[in-house]
């Protein structure tokens, strides 16, 4: 099968008939032929065309997977920036504001933050206390506070009890809030030393 008479339009801009489809487009245009050239409509066997299509498809799929993995690794990356750094010699600690950039992640755990700050400031993880983190609107960034004590004993002297319990140091109290309220109300009926005795006494 042969095709003739290119019209020189958008389908044959380089002056050649690329395929049978292109030649049909030229006939549909009804343009004035500029030159005549004979071209074979089918130049390659069908199986070679299928093979090249399959290889191109595999290459495209591999590139897509590679780009996805690369983007996922970039999204999972966490960047830590500290500001307003202060060395507090009265409390034997370093204190700072921490900005955490975590695109692609909802948030970063306190344990992971402790590990990264310990490597950054060459300290032990048990001496680092992080708290007060708030995620910015839209996600991707959190801001909070970090305290790095010189030793664990110094942290026990200064840190509040609830933060020590959260850090895994010390045991949580066994008295419930209801029991504390009942003890307070019993002590209201007495004055002086009897007040303390009433607070420790059981319910009558």
């Amino acid at each position: 099968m042969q095709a003739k008479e290119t019209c020189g339009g958008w389908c044959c801009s380089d002056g050649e008939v690329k395929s049978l489809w292109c030649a049909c487009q030229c006939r549909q245009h009804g343009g004035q032929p500029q030159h005549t050239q004979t071209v074979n409509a089918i130049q390659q066997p069908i199986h070679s065309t299928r093979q090249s299509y399959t290889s191109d498809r595999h290459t495209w799929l591999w590139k897509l997977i590679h780009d996805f993995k690369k983007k996922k690794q970039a999204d999972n990356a966490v960047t830590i920036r500290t500001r307003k750094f202060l060395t507090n010699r009265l409390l034997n600690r370093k204190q700072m504001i921490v900005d955490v950039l975590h695109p692609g992640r909802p948030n970063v755990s306190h344990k992971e933050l402790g590990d990264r700050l310990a490597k950054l400031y060459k300290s032990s993880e048990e001496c680092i206390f992080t708290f007060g983190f708030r995620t910015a609107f839209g996600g991707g960034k959190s801001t909070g506070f970090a305290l790095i004590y010189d030793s664990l004993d110094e942290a026990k002297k200064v840190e509040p009890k609830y933060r020590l319990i959260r850090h895994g140091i010390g045991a949580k109290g066994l008295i419930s809030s209801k029991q504390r309220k009942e003890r307070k109300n019993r002590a209201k009926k007495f004055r002086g030393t009897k007040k303390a005795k009433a607070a420790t006494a059981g319910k009558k």
Side-chain angles (χ1 to χ4, degrees):
M1 183 180 295
Q2 295 180 349
K4 295 182 179 180
E5 297 184 350
T6 63
C7 64
W10 61 270
C11 61
C12 299
S13 58
D14 55 353
E16 295 182 359
V17 179
K18 297 288 186 181
S19 64
L20 183 62
W21 176 84
C22 191
C24 292
Q25 288 288 346
C26 293
R27 292 195 186 97
Q28 288 177 8
H29 283 174
Q32 297 296 325
Q34 297 177 354
H35 59 276
T36 303
Q37 187 175 2
T38 303
V39 179
N40 292 327
I42 301 175
Q43 296 179 352
Q44 294 180 350
I46 296 175
H47 65 84
S48 63
T49 306
R50 286 180 179 174
Q51 186 176 2
S52 63
Y53 170 75
T54 307
S55 62
D56 291 344
R57 187 179 179 186
H58 287 171
T59 305
W60 173 81
L61 188 61
W62 178 85
K63 188 176 183 301
L64 185 66
I65 293 171
H66 178 71
D67 292 344
F68 177 75
K69 287 182 178 178
K70 193 172 181 181
K71 185 177 182 302
K72 191 174 181 181
Q73 289 175 357
D75 288 346
N76 291 335
V78 176
T79 306
I80 293 179
R81 295 174 184 169
T82 58
R83 55 191 171 92
K84 294 190 177 181
F85 182 88
L86 177 67
T87 301
N88 192 334
R89 285 296 93 201
L90 291 174
L91 300 178
N92 295 318
R93 72 185 184 189
K94 303 178 186 72
Q95 52 199 45
M96 66 205 78
I97 295 175
V98 182
D99 293 325
V100 185
L101 304 178
H102 47 87
R105 293 179 60 176
N107 220 319
V108 184
S109 65
H110 286 279
K111 183 173 177 57
E112 187 176 349
L113 285 175
D115 291 339
R116 288 176 177 269
L117 288 172
K119 292 176 183 177
L120 188 63
Y121 289 97
K122 297 178 181 179
S123 178
S124 60
E125 185 189 350
E126 62 180 6
C127 297
I128 297 175
F129 292 80
T130 56
F131 60 96
F133 278 85
R134 295 290 179 269
T135 305
F137 179 77
K141 182 182 178 182
S142 299
T143 304
F145 301 95
L147 306 174
I148 304 176
Y149 288 90
D150 294 344
S151 64
L152 189 60
D153 293 333
E154 297 293 338
K156 288 179 180 179
K157 292 177 185 177
V158 179
E159 282 294 296
K161 188 177 179 182
Y162 81 92
R163 215 180 285 163
L164 291 172
I165 293 170
R166 184 187 294 173
H167 205 64
I169 303 169
K172 192 174 181 180
L174 300 177
I175 301 174
S176 65
S177 59
K178 184 179 179 182
Q179 289 174 332
R180 284 198 298 270
K181 289 177 184 177
E182 289 175 352
R183 183 178 62 184
K184 180 191 69 174
N185 292 331
R186 283 198 305 269
K188 283 180 180 178
K189 300 174 183 177
F190 300 94
R191 306 270 304 174
T193 56
K194 293 181 180 179
K195 194 178 188 74
K197 291 179 182 179
T200 56
K203 185 177 180 181
K204 294 181 181 179

